Amino acid sequence: MYRKIENDAKLKGKVKLIGIGVGNSEFEVAYFKKVYKIPFPLFADGDFEIHKKLGEVRTPYFIGIRILEDGSYTIYYSKLGGAKDADELFDKLLKDSGLM
């Protein structure tokens, strides 16, 4: 998904992808990022603070958030579980966001 976003002039700079290492330390997240060559930002959440704010959902969990012009936001996608087809999920996220 990250590469598709970065390679599309209409999406680059408008769509961001991040990962949250629930229960993971900075060291663990940095190691994971290095070993698996993850190009997008990953955030450690060793104390589960982010996880708690998200409602203590299980992982993997996908959230689509659209930031509005006034700085507020709307959650347009929220789903537990992995994606069977990454391209299908990507297309759904873009469509539901209103960008496509």
Side-chain angles (χ1 to χ4, degrees), residues 13-29:
K14 291 183 179 179
V15 177
K16 303 293 183 192
L17 186 64
I18 66 165
I20 301 169
V22 175
N24 298 121
S25 68
E26 292 284 346
F27 174 81
E28 291 168 316
V29 168

Side-chain angles (χ1 to χ4, degrees), residues 41-66:
L42 299 178
F43 298 91
D45 188 27
D47 60 3
F48 295 89
E49 185 177 335
I50 299 168
H51 180 66
K52 288 175 187 171
K53 288 182 180 179
L54 293 174
E56 299 185 81
V57 296
R58 295 184 58 198
T59 61
Y61 199 90
F62 292 90
I63 301 172
I65 300 171
R66 179 155 187 152

